[in-house]
Amino acid sequence: METAVGLLRRFGLGDLSMRRLARELEVQVGALYWHVKNKQELLVEVAAAILGAPALAAGPDGPERSAGGSPSDGSGDRLDARGRILHLAATLHTTLLPVPDSPEVVNVARVLAPGRLEPLTRLTELLETAGLDRAGAVSAQAMIVNHVLGSVAEAQNRADFDVPGSDAPDFRWALERALDGLLHP
Amino acid sequence: METAVGLLRRFGLGDLSMRRLARELEVQVGALYWHVKNKQELLVEVAAAILGAPALAAGPDGPERSAGGSPSDGSGDRLDARGRILHLAATLHTTLLPVPDSPEVVNVARVLAPGRLEPLTRLTELLETAGLDRAGAVSAQAMIVNHVLGSVAEAQNRADFDVPGSDAPDFRWALERALDGLLHP
DNA sequence: ACCTGAACACCGTTCAAGT
DNA sequence: ACCTGAACACCGTTCAAGT
């Protein structure tokens, strides 16, 4: 896993092949298939490892109580949840940004093993504590995660060969505006 | 292009290889590289073809005037634009849904040749006529397109091997709520 | 202008056989 | 329990050479 994650971090998904990984480990390709059913399973593990970053660890148990002076409008409970949602989404963004092709990898894991990605399930829970019912939370979570992954992919591709022009979408602005609508009062 | 699109439609991206395409055309692989610089360029063309579907064609020139009885709130201008945005996003969704792996293909094109995907640039324009400034429209467009592509990918994967359970995200609900926030009054 | 033949450097997966 | 060797069936891309 260390070697696999390192390969992804340094060279991207194109160089995270079973054969390359085996070479790096000084082992025959076939050996990998004793530890892992197939490549997809490896990628699920890699995604879980990336989303296991300390910055994404769950906070202290129970609903966190912040004492900062928060802006106006709405109940304190609501705003608190909104702030934590915003923070989680932003942390996801900055965690994935430096890992090439991380959106593809996370997407594989999201499909094959949702539930293995704790921060994403936590996001759904936060949306529920913000007042959404189960169905709403699931729908909003999907939209937010799509936004995070899509924005990271866009930024990474832009860095590869696009104009570094200033007409890049504003991740945070769109996220905040969408949250306004999703957490309707 | 017909053969390539057909291959994608019938078997998905895994079977849309240069070699498979050449075999289907009863031609040597190398021949393809006279018509196309590389596979990515082929995929851009394929994406443009898919988004060229009649259902996604631009309406009659100039801002369309519908006479239907629209709900309350806001100015008529605003609501009209919102309706057209909603309709375009929904049409994108239903157009891509039956084409396996279309989100991946469109994403490649979105990165390598934005502007070749007319319906997506039109979406940005609609967001501007809905009252957003250029930067806001670009950011909102990215979020909406991410939502459409992500939702289609999710639905396609779900169909492949997931529980057909009812806990699927609600594409339309999330889109409408996010639009509420994005087109803030 | 358009295509063939053939090569180069890769893939993921399987599986008998070894230790 | 864990790995090797070797095979199978694929990839994308390039390029001299043909017509």
Side-chain angles (χ1 to χ4, degrees):
Chain A
M1 279 309 304
E2 275 169 40
T3 310
V5 172
L7 233 26
L8 183 70
R9 274 212 148 76
R10 302 206 307 272
F11 310 112
L13 203 46
D15 286 82
L16 178 44
S17 67
M18 298 303 272
R19 298 184 105 103
R20 175 74 186 274
L21 178 57
R23 205 186 319 139
E24 218 80 8
L25 292 167
E26 295 181 295
V27 148
Q28 293 299 114
V29 217
L32 300 179
Y33 287 82
W34 191 90
H35 300 272
V36 126
K37 194 169 139 282
N38 51 35
K39 190 179 180 181
Q40 302 209 325
E41 189 173 305
L42 178 87
L43 292 183
V44 168
E45 232 75 31
V46 168
I50 290 170
L51 293 195
L56 286 169
D61 232 308
E64 202 170 299
R65 301 230 154 258
S66 85
S70 32
S72 52
D73 201 0
S75 78
D77 223 27
R78 274 264 161 75
L79 265 188
D80 211 346
R82 193 196 139 105
R84 294 180 67 188
I85 290 165
L86 220 61
H87 180 251
L88 179 50
T91 307
L92 266 171
H93 192 220
T94 47
T95 301
L96 296 182
L97 198 54
V99 184
D101 303 315
S102 50
E104 269 115 311
V105 177
V106 171
N107 244 327
V108 171
R110 193 159 59 128
V111 157
L112 299 199
R116 287 291 311 275
L117 306 179
E118 194 274 334
L120 302 195
T121 65
R122 182 148 37 92
L123 178 54
T124 308
E125 287 162 22
L126 282 175
L127 286 159
E128 281 186 283
T129 72
L132 295 184
D133 61 9
R134 182 73 195 162
V138 166
S139 300
Q141 190 257 18
M143 159 161 265
I144 293 169
V145 173
N146 286 337
H147 181 54
V148 171
L149 299 185
S151 299
V152 170
E154 218 260 354
Q156 292 181 346
N157 290 325
R158 184 174 286 266
D160 275 4
F161 49 65
D162 227 16
V163 258
S166 59
D167 58 342
D170 186 333
F171 164 73
R172 182 133 194 154
W173 179 85
L175 175 60
E176 292 195 352
R177 293 291 69 72
L179 269 182
D180 287 345
L182 289 167
L183 308 179
H184 59 299
Chain B
M1 279 309 304
E2 275 170 40
T3 309
V5 172
L7 233 27
L8 183 69
R9 273 212 148 76
R10 301 207 307 270
F11 310 113
L13 204 45
D15 285 81
L16 178 44
S17 66
M18 298 302 272
R19 298 185 107 102
R20 175 73 187 273
L21 178 57
R23 206 187 317 140
E24 218 80 8
L25 292 167
E26 295 180 296
V27 149
Q28 293 298 113
V29 217
L32 299 179
Y33 287 84
W34 192 90
H35 299 274
V36 124
K37 194 169 139 283
N38 51 35
K39 189 179 181 180
Q40 303 209 325
E41 190 174 304
L42 179 86
L43 292 183
V44 168
E45 232 74 31
V46 167
I50 289 170
L51 293 195
L56 286 169
D61 233 308
E64 200 171 300
R65 301 230 155 258
S66 85
S70 32
S72 51
D73 201 0
S75 79
D77 222 27
R78 274 266 161 75
L79 264 189
D80 213 346
R82 193 196 139 106
R84 294 180 67 188
I85 289 165
L86 220 61
H87 181 250
L88 178 51
T91 307
L92 266 170
H93 192 210
T94 47
T95 301
L96 297 181
L97 199 54
V99 185
D101 303 315
S102 51
E104 270 114 312
V105 176
V106 171
N107 243 328
V108 171
R110 192 158 60 129
V111 157
L112 300 199
R116 289 289 311 274
L117 306 178
E118 194 273 336
L120 302 194
T121 65
R122 183 149 34 93
L123 177 56
T124 308
E125 287 161 22
L126 283 175
L127 286 160
E128 280 185 284
T129 73
L132 295 184
D133 61 10
R134 182 73 194 160
V138 166
S139 301
Q141 190 257 18
M143 160 160 262
I144 292 169
V145 173
N146 285 337
H147 181 54
V148 171
L149 299 185
S151 299
V152 169
E154 218 262 353
Q156 292 181 347
N157 290 325
R158 185 174 286 267
D160 275 5
F161 48 65
D162 229 16
V163 257
S166 59
D167 59 342
D170 186 332
F171 164 74
R172 182 133 197 157
W173 179 85
L175 175 60
E176 293 194 350
R177 293 292 67 73
L179 269 182
D180 287 345
L182 290 166
L183 308 179
H184 59 300

